[in-house]
Amino acid sequence: NQFYGNFNGSGYTISGLTINRPETNYVGLFGWAREANLSFIGLVDVNIIGKQRVGALAGQLRDNSWADNCYSTGNVKGQLFASGLVGNLYYGSTIVTCYSSVNVEMVLSPDGNQQAGGLVGRASYNSFILNSFATGKVQGLTSFTGGLIALVTDGTIVENCYATGEIFGERSVGGLVGALQL
């Protein structure tokens, strides 16, 4: 089920969130948020395992969704579009003033198509990432590994952002962005 609406965490934190669904797509506190506003949410010491579109806050934010003043710490594992905060940022969605100190680890997928980012797995279709950062370790396997974002495509704007964590991968590896396809 997709989440539509607003969720304001009012600065409270959720500690020890554990999700163990290695065969499930769209995994996170919000699996799939659409036309949603997520704000002031702190996720501390998460342990999340999913398949595709995996993030501590959301597996996917799309259709002008908004995440602001959110953060995450802990560990995330996934195959495709895995990240510390949002797995897939899509269709005009925005992340602003957020950070992730999550260690992201890729799990080998059968087709070898993998993407891992410290904050976002993939940002595409006119999305925005503003005033945000990532400090976790990102362990990629075969392709697209980025300290902040694994893959940026199709008119996405990234401003005033940085990443400082250790990044490991085999192909298309970057301290900030693994691959840029515009």
Side-chain angles (χ1 to χ4, degrees):
N1 293 330
Q2 299 173 24
F3 175 80
Y4 292 85
N6 300 311
F7 184 91
N8 185 327
S10 298
Y12 288 97
T13 60
I14 297 171
S15 297
L17 175 65
T18 300
I19 303 172
N20 186 9
R21 296 187 172 174
E23 297 302 316
T24 303
N25 298 331
Y26 306 104
V27 176
L29 177 64
F30 296 90
W32 182 332
R34 192 172 196 172
E35 299 174 11
N37 292 311
L38 311 176
S39 58
F40 298 99
I41 302 168
L43 300 168
V44 177
D45 198 25
V46 302
N47 187 12
I48 298 174
I49 300 170
K51 188 174 182 180
Q52 297 181 9
R53 294 168 178 83
V54 183
L57 180 64
Q60 179 165 275
L61 288 182
R62 67 173 286 165
D63 300 329
N64 301 307
S65 290
W66 188 273
D68 71 277
N69 287 286
C70 297
Y71 68 90
S72 57
T73 68
N75 297 288
V76 169
K77 290 183 183 181
Q79 290 181 5
L80 181 64
F81 309 137
S83 76
L85 196 70
V86 175
N88 192 29
L89 186 70
Y90 218 44
Y91 292 120
S93 294
T94 300
I95 292 175
V96 62
T97 317
C98 293
Y99 74 88
S100 172
S101 291
V102 169
N103 295 318
V104 179
E105 182 181 340
M106 294 307 301
V107 178
L108 189 60
S109 68
D111 64 6
N113 186 12
Q114 299 169 310
Q115 299 171 7
L119 189 75
V120 174
R122 177 177 69 172
S124 59
Y125 299 106
N126 303 309
S127 292
F128 300 87
I129 302 173
L130 312 169
N131 305 321
S132 299
F133 66 92
T135 62
K137 176 180 174 181
V138 182
Q139 178 68 51
L141 290 173
T142 58
S143 60
F144 304 126
T145 306
L148 188 72
I149 311 162
L151 177 64
V152 174
T153 71
D154 304 304
T156 292
I157 294 173
V158 179
E159 288 183 357
N160 197 30
C161 296
Y162 67 91
T164 61
E166 294 180 80
I167 314 304
F168 301 93
E170 293 180 14
R171 185 170 49 99
S172 298
V173 179
L176 191 64
V177 174
L180 179 63
Q181 298 175 350
L182 298 177

